[in-house]
Amino acid sequence: MEPFNVHILGCGSALPTLHHNATCQVIEIRGKVFMIDCGEGTQIQIRRSKLHFSKIQAVFISHLHGDHCFGLWGMISTFGMTGRTVPLHIYAPEDFEEYFHQSMKLFCNGLGYDIHFHGLKTTEQKIIYEDRSLTVETIPLEHRIPCCGFLFREKPTAPHIRRDMIDYYKIPISQINNIKCGASWTTEEGDLIPNSRLTTPSAPPRSYAYCSDTRYMKRLHEVVRNVTLLYHESTYASDYRDRAKLYYHSTAEEAATVARDAEVGQLLLGHYSARYNNEQQILDEARAIFPNSTLANEGLVIKV
């Protein structure tokens, strides 16, 4: 099975601490590398993770709060100093475009590679990236400013050929692709060999949904239903429920409720308030509702 990994580079919230870095994740999927959000300190975290700068082909910015984007220009500048030549794609809320280009003129002239900005309508659920093996679509979220999450989905792959059956029925190599596409085979004697005897099913497609920052949304579970892994912000435990409501954040209980109602495979919690020196309370509250919950932490790599 092709790798599909989520690297946690930062999982803290707005106030910098010595305990957690600002939000950033790197997604490895089928040989491609993407970044979600780029908080302050991202470059150092990339070096600690031993991920390669040059392999990041796109950055997805969820919203324009500094803990999700202040690291972007430093990283773009470093890409230029390290000799990058391939284009970099930036996907971010459309209101960001003018400020982004102004900042590029101030800090990032003469890079040696191209930057392509893609403005997002955060109120739309829409596919914004697609290639032969995956799609990325936006997830409208509810925060104090325009904000969206991102849903990474593998495309279904062809079934696996049963080599023993191919050899037994002396099926020519030229017919392999047809069989992968669902064709059966007729022998010289006229016997029909069904496709199900010639193949085994491929692994089910995997998916990852990133939802940060947002208040609890009663219908979010419909958008992320059955995803393999859900990252949902859990800035507070229930002791700060009123604060979560005021600042359009979620509690661990609310994140777990989304995971339970969506019937996801696993819940990953993050975006912790600096008020907590230990996130065990957050984890305990989530697991009371959705047992397969895990705390994000810097350096953690989750295999989807």
Side-chain angles (χ1 to χ4, degrees):
M1 185 178 291
E2 293 275 354
F4 189 166
N5 298 321
V6 177
H7 297 256
I8 305 300
L9 303 188
C11 55
S13 58
L15 185 63
T17 72
L18 297 176
H19 189 40
H20 288 300
N21 283 74
T23 299
C24 182
Q25 299 182 8
V26 169
I27 315 301
E28 282 185 290
I29 176 170
R30 293 186 164 271
K32 306 172 188 71
V33 181
F34 305 97
M35 178 176 286
I36 303 178
D37 285 335
C38 189
E40 188 176 359
T42 287
Q43 294 185 73
I44 298 299
Q45 291 300 95
I46 291 176
R47 294 194 181 279
R48 285 176 175 156
S49 71
K50 295 182 170 54
L51 293 163
H52 295 289
F53 277 103
S54 60
K55 291 187 177 181
I56 297 170
Q57 64 185 70
V59 181
F60 297 88
I61 301 295
S62 62
H63 65 295
L64 305 185
H65 280 158
D67 56 318
H68 294 258
C69 64
F70 276 171
L72 185 59
W73 293 275
M75 187 179 72
I76 288 172
S77 178
T78 295
F79 284 168
M81 291 188 285
T82 55
R84 183 185 181 105
T85 57
V86 297
L88 179 68
H89 294 264
I90 307 294
Y91 295 82
E94 56 187 359
D95 293 344
F96 187 35
E97 184 167 9
E98 182 179 356
Y99 177 71
F100 175 80
H101 289 307
Q102 289 176 349
S103 299
M104 289 293 295
K105 290 178 183 178
L106 284 171
F107 304 119
C108 299
N109 279 316
L111 289 174
Y113 67 97
D114 293 330
I115 302 282
H116 300 288
F117 185 93
H118 306 267
L120 306 178
K121 293 184 181 298
T122 58
T123 57
E124 294 182 350
Q125 183 181 353
K126 180 181 179 181
I127 292 176
I128 55 173
Y129 172 90
E130 183 172 14
D131 61 31
R132 290 188 299 177
S133 60
L134 73 117
T135 61
V136 182
E137 61 186 279
T138 48
I139 302 172
L141 299 176
E142 295 181 5
H143 195 39
R144 301 193 306 279
I145 63 173
C147 181
C148 65
F150 302 101
L151 177 53
F152 292 73
R153 291 190 189 274
E154 283 185 315
K155 292 182 177 179
T157 56
H160 301 295
I161 292 293
R162 288 190 58 183
R163 179 56 59 184
D164 58 335
M165 292 291 100
I166 298 299
D167 293 342
Y168 181 81
Y169 290 109
K170 298 181 175 59
I171 299 174
I173 294 176
S174 62
Q175 297 303 307
I176 296 296
N177 282 337
N178 291 337
I179 292 171
K180 282 187 175 183
C181 292
S184 298
W185 175 252
T186 303
T187 66
E188 292 180 357
E189 293 77 20
D191 297 327
L192 179 66
I193 312 303
N195 182 269
S196 59
R197 188 183 295 182
L198 304 174
T199 62
T200 56
S202 61
R206 297 163 292 178
S207 51
Y208 173 58
Y210 171 91
C211 298
S212 181
D213 302 8
T214 185
R215 66 177 177 179
Y216 173 66
M217 298 170 60
K218 291 183 179 180
R219 304 196 67 175
L220 180 59
H221 69 277
E222 297 175 2
V223 179
V224 299
R225 182 170 299 281
N226 297 134
V227 298
T228 312
L229 175 65
L230 168 65
Y231 175 87
H232 193 295
E233 75 127 288
S234 51
T235 306
Y236 301 103
S238 58
D239 52 349
Y240 283 101
R241 188 185 310 277
D242 291 343
R243 194 171 185 85
K245 185 176 181 180
L246 177 64
Y247 290 106
Y248 281 61
H249 283 298
S250 298
T251 66
E253 289 180 347
E254 290 169 334
T257 299
V258 173
R260 181 199 63 196
D261 293 348
E263 299 180 292
V264 306
Q266 183 177 5
L267 171 63
L268 184 61
L269 304 163
H271 200 264
Y272 315 120
S273 168
R275 287 171 169 76
Y276 299 97
N277 293 320
N278 183 309
E279 290 84 36
Q280 189 62 44
Q281 180 184 358
I282 287 173
L283 181 61
D284 290 344
E285 290 189 3
R287 283 182 171 173
I289 295 171
F290 188 79
N292 196 15
S293 299
T294 303
L295 291 173
N297 203 9
E298 284 74 9
L300 179 67
V301 181
I302 300 283
K303 293 183 178 181
V304 180

